[in-house]
Structures are given as structure tokens and as C-alpha cells.
Amino acid sequence: MKNPTVSSKDINSHPAAAMQVLVSKEIAAHIRSWRFNILILLIVLTFGASLYVSSMGLKDAVSNMRDPDQSFLYLKLLTTTDNSIPPFHVFLNFLAPLLGIALGFDAINAEYNNGTLTRLMAQPIYRDNLLFAKFLAPLIVVGTLFVALVLLMIGGGLLGTGVRIEPQELLRIFGFTLISVLYVAFWLSLAILLSIRFRQPATSALTAIGIWLFFTVFFPILVNLAIRPFLPNPNYISEQEYLAYNELILNLLRLSPSQLYTDATTTLLMPSVRSLGPIAMEQMVGAIPSPLSFRESFLMVWPQVSGLTAAMMICFAWSYYIFMRREIRS
């Protein structure tokens, strides 16, 4: 990254001037980066493939009168699949962590190893401005990408079907976009933390990928292996006890960020989802299979959104604490 030049007079008269320069320089560096362009191309290709598969089966999806979500055409574009490939939000559950890790694993240690960190700090800028710029610039680029893909999807749906999008669908789609950006922000903050903790970019990248693989692949296996020996035989317990054990397993799985993201996006993109846990037969009696409003769905996923936000803030606060106390002149 080129050294931004900001005079002391500018920073005193306009405190945000240095921050704007750093953010613009970081955005330009990411846009010119080959690894970023490759990841963007991968996300765009998966989005196009998922959209193509869902559009092929869209007619059958909206004509299924037994589906309470059959009237939400634009949500069907994001969730309908013929089982040949997963829908886009399932793809994004795997690709978003890679995007966040790729944008942040060498955010600080690359500057240190290249000798540009001391030159940056010699400029009339605050140290925390650099850290905030390393965090905000990738999120601006990722948020712009996701919003552009959503707008292209809505525009293509309007041209292809001629059906006007409903306000409920628009709110849910942009809610899904915000949660996806928040999911990337968590992995980005974790990658920046590791880039401060480790001096070598390869070490921070491998550590971040290892954490991602643990929570995505191995954590559900470990939870099942740890809980299964203590589970009683379902034939000898009541229904309430059986539901309590399943609720315990689900709560343990929600310690994983990927599970929180899956719960939140599934609920927003499928309005008929009324519960994120096991339901007793008594609770199903008299229930009308109708979609929930956006407000009700959002209140249902608020704990998941709060969990992702808290995890992101903890990682960033830890990064801030370490970076502000670290000696960078040696």
C-alpha cells in the first residue's frame, strides 16, 4: 500500500481526512489484488449458477399450492434448487469465511514485514485509524459486491417475469445481504487479529483456515460424539425430555458462527419458518401454515444476529488492544 500523505493542518481541521485517505487507499489495493479478484469471480460464478438453477425450477416452485412460500417469487430465486447444486445462501456459508480471511490475514503483518508500517505511523495519522481502515475498506467492497448482485437479481427477475417485487421480499433480501456482510465481518476481524498476533502471513492464514475448518466440519462431529453417550434411549423418555435433549444439542451447535449464519439466513429467506428448534406436537395443533411478517422473522433471528455481532466486536476489540500496545519500531 502506498503511503498516504496528510498534512498536520489537514488532520487538525478535518479529523476524518486521514481516515478517508487510508480507506480509499485500502479499497484501491484490494480492487487491484489478484486474490480478491479471483474470490469475487468465484462468488459471482456461484451466484450465477444458483440463480440459473433456481430460475429453471421457478415455475414449479411458485405453482406448488402446498408451499406457504409459493407467492414469494424473488425469495424463491435465492432458495429454489433441483439438488444439483446448493442454493446461494448455502454456498455463501462456505465462501464468505474464505473471503473474509483472504482480505485480512496479512492486513498488519504484511505492512510490518515490508517495512511500510513505520513509515505509515510517521505520517500525521493515528494508529487506530490504520486498524479501522483495514477493517472498513474490505467491508465496503464486499457490501458493494453483495448489493450489486442482489440488484442484478431483482432487475433480472423484473425483466424475466414482469412480476413486481413486494416490500416484504425486498426487506428480507436486504436483511439477508446485511447478515452476509456481518458474517464476512466476523471472519475479517478474526483474520486481522491473527495478522497482528503472528508476524508471518502464512501462519496467520493457516491458523484462520484451521479455525474455519474446525467450526464448519469438525465442531458438529465433536458435539455429536460428546453428547451421544449421554443420550438416553428415545423409547424410554417422554417427548418433553427428548425435545430438551435436542434443544441442548442445537444450542451447542450454535456456538459455531456458521450455524448462526445458517439459522438467520434460512429464517429470513423462508418466511414460513416459525421455529429454529424442535417443536412438540401440542404446539403444532391449530397452527396455520402461513408465512410470518418480516418483523416476526427478524425478531426470531435477533439472537443469531446479536451473536455474530458480539463475536465480531470481541475479535476486533482484541485486535485493537494488541495493536495499540505493540511496539512497531523494532
Side-chain angles (χ1 to χ4, degrees), residues 204-255:
S204 59
L206 289 176
T207 305
I209 292 176
I211 295 174
W212 167 63
L213 288 176
F214 171 77
F215 280 113
T216 304
V217 179
F218 299 107
F219 184 72
I221 299 175
L222 292 177
V223 169
N224 289 327
L225 291 177
I227 295 296
R228 187 177 300 173
F230 301 98
L231 291 179
N233 192 328
N235 298 323
Y236 299 99
I237 61 176
S238 65
E239 182 183 5
Q240 295 298 329
E241 292 175 329
Y242 181 75
L243 293 176
Y245 280 114
N246 280 275
E247 187 70 24
L248 174 62
I249 295 175
L250 188 58
N251 288 333
L252 291 177
L253 290 176
R254 284 173 180 158
L255 295 175

Side-chain angles (χ1 to χ4, degrees), residues 5-259:
T5 303
V6 183
S7 65
S8 300
K9 180 179 179 181
D10 291 336
I11 195 172
N12 291 330
S13 58
H14 302 285
M19 188 67 180
Q20 293 175 359
V21 172
L22 288 172
V23 170
S24 62
K25 291 292 185 181
E26 287 294 327
I27 291 175
H30 285 303
I31 292 176
R32 299 189 186 105
S33 172
W34 274 103
R35 66 184 177 193
F36 176 74
N37 291 329
I38 291 173
L39 285 171
I40 292 300
L41 180 62
L42 184 61
I43 290 178
V44 171
L45 289 177
T46 55
F47 180 79
S50 301
L51 197 62
Y52 175 77
V53 170
S54 62
S55 62
M56 291 297 101
L58 188 62
K59 182 178 180 181
D60 295 333
V62 298
S63 60
N64 185 10
M65 301 306 295
R66 295 183 178 180
D67 186 2
D69 298 333
Q70 56 92 19
S71 61
F72 297 97
L73 183 142
Y74 289 89
L75 295 182
K76 288 295 182 183
L77 286 174
L78 291 173
T79 57
T80 302
T81 180
D82 60 356
N83 295 323
S84 60
I85 61 174
F88 180 64
H89 69 280
V90 177
F91 264 129
L92 207 57
N93 196 354
F94 291 93
L95 294 178
L98 293 179
L99 184 60
I101 292 171
L103 294 177
F105 76 92
D106 61 346
I108 301 299
N109 49 24
E111 300 280 0
Y112 183 86
N113 294 330
N114 294 334
T116 57
L117 186 59
T118 54
R119 292 200 295 269
L120 275 172
M121 294 297 99
Q123 302 294 326
I125 59 176
Y126 297 109
R127 183 185 290 198
D128 53 355
N129 281 349
L130 176 64
L131 191 61
F132 282 121
K134 294 286 186 181
F135 181 72
L136 289 178
L139 290 185
I140 292 174
V141 178
V142 171
T144 304
L145 169 67
F146 287 169
V147 171
L149 290 178
V150 165
L151 293 178
L152 285 174
M153 184 269 293
I154 295 174
L158 287 172
L159 293 175
T161 64
V163 178
R164 182 174 62 88
I165 186 171
E166 297 295 331
Q168 282 282 333
E169 291 180 284
L170 192 63
L171 288 174
R172 289 179 180 275
I173 290 173
F174 279 104
F176 159 71
T177 304
L178 290 176
I179 292 176
S180 299
V181 173
L182 178 62
Y183 189 46
V184 174
F186 163 72
W187 290 104
L188 175 64
S189 62
L190 177 63
I192 291 176
L193 170 63
L194 296 175
S195 75
I196 299 173
R197 177 62 180 82
F198 300 105
R199 291 293 176 89
Q200 296 301 321
T203 305
S204 59
L206 289 176
T207 305
I209 292 176
I211 295 174
W212 167 63
L213 288 176
F214 171 77
F215 280 113
T216 304
V217 179
F218 299 107
F219 184 72
I221 299 175
L222 292 177
V223 169
N224 289 327
L225 291 177
I227 295 296
R228 187 177 300 173
F230 301 98
L231 291 179
N233 192 328
N235 298 323
Y236 299 99
I237 61 176
S238 65
E239 182 183 5
Q240 295 298 329
E241 292 175 329
Y242 181 75
L243 293 176
Y245 280 114
N246 280 275
E247 187 70 24
L248 174 62
I249 295 175
L250 188 58
N251 288 333
L252 291 177
L253 290 176
R254 284 173 180 158
L255 295 175
S256 170
S258 60
Q259 183 65 39

Side-chain angles (χ1 to χ4, degrees), residues 263-285:
D263 290 346
T265 54
T266 301
T267 305
L268 284 182
L269 295 178
M270 298 180 180
S272 61
V273 175
R274 290 178 167 270
S275 175
L276 293 174
I279 302 177
M281 291 300 297
E282 292 82 1
Q283 296 173 303
M284 296 294 296
V285 174

